[in-house]
Amino acid sequence: MESAGQASDGAVTSGGGSGAGEDDKVTGEQTRTDDQEPDRPDPQPKKPRSFWKELPILVGIALVLALLIKTFLVQAFSIPSDSMQNTLQQGDRVLVDKLTPWFGSEPERGEVIVFHDPDSWLAGEPTPEPNAAQKFLSWIGLMPSAEEKDLIKRVVGVSGDTIECKGTGPLKVNGKALDEESYVYAGNTPCSLDDQGGQFKVKVPKGHVWVMGDHRQNSRDSRYNRSDKHHGMVPVKDVVGRAIVVAWPVDRWATLPVPDTFDQDGLKAGPAALSVAPQGLAVVGVVPFALWRRRRTTAVRTR
């Protein structure tokens, strides 16, 4: 019956003579030639997959995204000690920006950074043994790895800086005294009166930074590791990234900005052009994408 109907339609629309012409006038249908295909019925819409069939796919995508974020963008780290009090408390979770170093940016004075153990700074420190669940959550970036030996301190000096501590302070960078009251642990002095490293004058070599804990009398930092192969300096290549926010617990949520004392005139040896390079590159990368998306959206709407 369907083929017969198609044949009849063909006779009406493509046949010659006055009959075809009158049919065209009455029905308003467009004639078609023999080489044109007959009208086909609209395809039936596909039945959507059930939620339970899509769930494994969604979980897989989430795991891949979490792994990519951990590797290239942001990773969570747990604070294991009191060396950064009161800025950071033991048990805090901080989020660390791992993207910026990919653009060649180096740590700046005043930033709180996470870095790999440069040369056995954590020798003798106990390493907790994670269970299977913790290992899995660590692998996807939802928990910090217990197997990695990382430290967190504040950058005080960068390449070319001269750092000096005499008596109980103040701490000086390139001859400028730092006002550290806003972040040094209450009751601590900026410098420590001891013969183990609390008194010093050093110059930071290229490709390194000098770091100190905010809890000055309870931090085994650059001062007390000057006998290692880097003379207490942290190689920039060992820096994981900058800690940007305290994410947990909720009642301690806070950002970790650079203290104002590091912005004083005469402290910096040169313009900090490199620090804004990643933001500039980000803008350059986003603008073409935004224009492409706008053009694509306009094209879709006009179809």
Side-chain angles (χ1 to χ4, degrees):
M1 295 295 291
E2 183 178 359
S3 59
Q6 290 178 352
S8 175
D9 288 342
V12 170
T13 57
S14 61
S18 60
E22 290 193 5
D23 282 341
D24 285 341
K25 291 179 183 178
V26 172
T27 63
E29 293 180 357
Q30 183 181 0
T31 60
R32 61 177 171 83
T33 59
D34 293 336
D35 59 344
Q36 288 179 316
E37 295 183 2
D39 293 338
R40 295 181 179 179
D42 293 335
Q44 295 295 325
K46 293 182 178 180
K47 185 178 180 181
R49 295 179 180 176
S50 69
F51 171 76
W52 296 110
K53 288 183 178 180
E54 290 189 348
L55 183 60
I57 300 174
L58 297 176
V59 171
I61 293 174
L63 292 178
V64 171
L65 289 176
L67 183 59
L68 290 174
I69 290 173
K70 169 196 169 183
T71 304
F72 301 107
L73 300 179
V74 177
Q75 186 176 4
F77 286 83
S78 177
I79 306 304
S81 70
D82 298 328
S83 67
M84 282 296 292
Q85 285 182 319
N86 273 331
T87 304
L88 300 172
Q89 301 287 351
Q90 189 173 164
D92 284 353
R93 262 51 170 190
V94 297
L95 298 182
V96 173
D97 168 23
K98 300 177 70 174
L99 176 63
T100 303
W102 282 81
F103 292 98
S105 179
E106 296 186 359
E108 292 192 359
R109 304 174 196 86
E111 293 181 349
V112 177
I113 63 169
V114 170
F115 55 95
H116 300 310
D117 189 340
D119 187 24
S120 301
W121 286 24
L122 294 175
E125 294 288 336
T127 301
E129 183 63 29
N131 56 37
Q134 289 173 328
K135 286 182 178 180
F136 175 74
L137 292 175
S138 172
W139 181 73
I140 64 175
L142 297 181
M143 283 189 65
S145 173
E147 299 175 356
E148 295 179 1
K149 292 188 175 182
D150 299 315
L151 301 96
I152 185 166
K153 306 290 181 187
R154 188 180 298 277
V155 177
V156 174
V158 297
S159 175
D161 286 347
T162 297
I163 318 297
E164 182 179 4
C165 236
K166 290 183 179 180
T168 58
L171 178 68
K172 293 183 178 181
V173 178
N174 298 326
K176 295 288 184 178
L178 299 181
D179 179 3
E180 301 185 285
E181 185 178 356
S182 64
Y183 57 88
V184 166
Y185 184 74
N188 278 191
T189 54
C191 304
S192 302
L193 286 170
D194 60 56
D195 58 357
Q196 305 299 314
Q199 306 289 294
F200 61 88
K201 184 175 182 178
V202 297
K203 185 170 183 178
V204 184
K206 184 178 180 180
H208 294 74
V209 293
W210 178 271
V211 298
M212 298 173 70
D214 289 353
H215 198 336
R216 291 291 158 81
Q217 274 76 60
N218 189 22
S219 176
R220 191 164 183 81
D221 45 42
S222 290
R223 299 170 292 170
Y224 300 103
N225 288 283
R226 293 169 62 193
S227 60
D228 72 4
K229 63 182 180 182
H230 302 295
H231 307 291
M233 312 291 175
V234 177
V236 170
K237 65 180 180 63
D238 289 336
V239 175
V240 177
R242 175 186 174 184
I244 53 177
V245 65
V246 180
W248 187 264
V250 176
D251 60 351
R252 281 190 44 75
W253 189 94
T255 57
L256 297 170
V258 174
D260 293 339
T261 188
F262 291 95
D263 293 329
Q264 61 178 297
D265 294 337
L267 185 63
K268 298 182 179 181
L274 188 59
S275 65
V276 299
Q279 290 86 342
L281 289 174
V283 172
V284 171
V286 168
V287 168
F289 177 76
L291 292 175
W292 176 80
R293 287 288 300 172
R294 182 181 178 86
R295 183 176 181 182
R296 180 181 174 85
T297 303
T298 304
V300 170
R301 289 176 178 175
T302 55
R303 285 177 184 171

